[in-house]
Amino acid sequence: MKKENIYILGIESSCDDTSAAVLCNDEILSNVVADQKIHAEYGGVVPELASRAHQQNIVPVVHQALSGAGISKDQLSAIAFTRGPGLMGSLLVGTSFAKSLAYGLGIPLIDVNHMQAHILAHFIDEKGHQKPPFPFLAMTISGGHTQIVKVTNYFEMEVLGETIDDAVGEAYDKSGKTLGLGYPAGPEIDKRAQLGNPKAYKFTKPKVEGLNFSFSGLKTAILYFIQRETKANPKFIEENLNDICASIQYTIIGILMDKLKLAVKQTGIKHIAIGGGVSANSGIRKALKDAEKKHGWTTYIPKFEYTTDNAAMIAIVGYLKYLEKDFSDFDVMATARLKI
Ligand code: KG4
Ligand code: ZN
């Protein structure tokens, strides 16, 4: 007997991207992301503006995802949505929309943990992308998250370490602000870092026990360093920008790699999957490739569009939960501080 196709609509609205995706089994048919330019003016995400923009975007984004996939809403098997963690006002938009649509269509509703979704994005069926074997280590690095997780099975995950203050992407963005770069500054720092000397300036790495991270001290150290140097030479930034960016990047990648090496040592697991916006970074990609040769690791990096916040990753979790018949009640609540 031919197996019936399962169509999942995924909805993501945890931060500043409104996204909807349609999946047929584990293959993506469409993945639409409306990012919100408005936050650039403020140098960071403004929660109230994000929530309002989600309200404006959600209907056209879902509509575009369905038409891009070439299916009608009556063909959907279930609707998966981000329950948390994230900004409450933003989560509420996606949660309420998903509930009403699923209720109206009479199909199951599936709640998804955003952090699990970043990891399970590796199980989207994609030509050329190898899925990591269990158990593996996942490092999620973005503007909102910095976490190392031991993944024993799809829904058996253990957080080994996470940031105790800023996320790694924030360290990029806040250092960029100090240097007068636009928001988000990660891509620009990365571009300039490749043209500069990584050992031009030395920033001390934070001393944090075990597998937790801290980035707020580094941000402050960079601020004081720039204030001191520009006092002596007002043109310090413009004359040395590439070297400054290279030195910041060298420090940040060093911090991430030290923790990954410790996680490998503690667990004996050498399959490493990364995700989140910062996984686009040339420095981390190169460091991982080097570790493959030097330490025998196997590393996994998903396609960029599935690594930043997107609904395809929500839909794949929806599919995996659908197979388990793990559905939500309609009184499920958005939860800003949801744990893995
Ligand atoms: O995953 P994402 O799109 O959104 C969340 O924060 O959840 O990640 C955005 C973050 C920003 O902080 C941005 O500066 C950073 O990812 N980023 C980068 C690079 N591309 C994006 N950081 C360093 N190097 C990059 N190439
Ligand atoms: Zn995210």
Side-chain angles (χ1 to χ4, degrees):
M1 200 175 79
K2 198 168 168 281
K3 250 175 62 191
E4 188 196 345
N5 278 333
I6 294 162
Y7 292 98
I8 306 283
L9 170 69
I11 294 175
E12 154 66 29
S13 73
S14 66
C15 188
D16 61 339
D17 293 309
T18 321
S19 180
V22 177
L23 209 92
C24 175
N25 305 322
D26 57 355
E27 274 178 52
I28 301 294
L29 300 182
S30 64
N31 182 36
V32 179
V33 184
D35 58 0
Q36 303 177 358
K37 301 272 181 275
I38 179 92
H39 307 289
E41 284 173 42
Y42 300 90
V45 177
V46 184
E48 181 54 34
L49 294 179
S51 171
R52 287 187 213 175
H54 283 305
Q55 287 183 34
Q56 286 174 349
N57 292 342
I58 192 120
V59 172
V61 164
V62 168
H63 195 75
Q64 213 182 319
L66 286 169
S67 61
I71 69 159
S72 77
K73 56 184 186 316
D74 305 315
Q75 288 172 269
L76 291 172
S77 315
I79 297 180
F81 70 98
T82 307
R83 178 180 173 196
L87 302 170
M88 195 46 155
S90 294
L91 289 167
L92 279 172
V93 178
T95 305
S96 320
F97 186 88
K99 278 187 193 179
S100 13
L101 190 56
Y103 192 76
L105 294 170
I107 57 175
L109 178 70
I110 300 172
D111 66 288
V112 173
N113 180 310
H114 181 90
M115 298 308 295
Q116 287 191 339
H118 268 299
I119 296 170
L120 296 175
H122 285 274
F123 294 92
I124 293 171
D125 194 43
E126 186 68 33
K127 252 204 190 103
H129 177 69
Q130 188 127 15
K131 297 172 185 171
F134 297 114
F136 65 92
L137 295 176
M139 182 168 75
T140 307
I141 40 178
S142 77
H145 340 287
T146 312
Q147 207 171 54
I148 298 182
V149 179
K150 179 178 164 190
V151 188
T152 309
N153 213 323
Y154 293 125
F155 297 104
E156 239 177 277
M157 300 186 184
E158 184 192 350
V159 178
L160 301 180
E162 59 193 336
T163 184
I164 56 170
D165 41 55
D166 292 349
V168 59
E170 266 180 291
Y172 270 101
D173 297 336
K174 290 179 177 171
S175 312
K177 202 169 177 182
T178 303
L179 297 172
L181 304 177
Y183 172 86
E188 173 85 15
I189 293 181
D190 185 17
K191 212 162 78 195
R192 290 184 171 276
Q194 294 169 63
L195 307 170
N197 172 9
K199 304 221 170 128
Y201 309 104
K202 191 165 163 43
F203 301 108
T204 349
K205 288 188 205 161
K207 288 186 182 50
V208 188
E209 287 287 304
L211 292 171
N212 281 341
F213 298 85
S214 165
F215 287 101
S216 83
L218 177 66
K219 164 193 73 187
T220 314
I222 293 167
L223 175 69
Y224 290 163
F225 165 77
I226 294 294
Q227 283 175 343
R228 197 174 61 233
E229 294 294 334
T230 47
K231 214 166 167 186
N233 170 14
K235 288 192 161 173
F236 177 75
I237 295 178
E238 72 184 90
E239 285 170 3
N240 301 287
L241 190 51
N242 292 347
D243 285 349
I244 303 169
C245 290
S247 303
I248 293 174
Q249 177 135 314
Y250 180 77
T251 314
I252 292 179
I253 302 306
I255 297 169
L256 296 176
M257 289 305 292
D258 285 352
K259 295 291 179 177
L260 265 185
K261 281 180 205 155
L262 183 60
V264 170
K265 196 171 154 203
Q266 285 185 3
T267 60
I269 300 170
K270 290 189 171 187
H271 289 276
I272 320 284
I274 63 165
V278 182
S279 59
N281 184 270
S282 67
I284 191 73
R285 285 176 177 241
K286 184 173 178 307
L288 290 174
K289 281 281 156 249
D290 290 349
E292 290 200 336
K293 285 194 214 106
K294 212 165 144 194
H295 307 298
W297 297 5
T298 312
T299 63
Y300 305 83
I301 308 178
K303 212 168 135 188
F304 187 65
E305 62 174 301
Y306 304 143
T307 196
T308 57
D309 285 352
N310 69 86
M313 69 183 195
I314 305 304
I316 188 73
V317 182
Y319 171 70
L320 294 168
K321 283 193 161 186
Y322 188 93
L323 296 179
E324 303 287 316
K325 302 248 174 303
D326 184 359
F327 303 139
S328 318
D329 290 331
F330 276 84
D331 58 3
V332 60
M333 306 269 276
T335 309
R337 291 183 173 272
L338 193 63
K339 293 260 178 243
I340 269 189

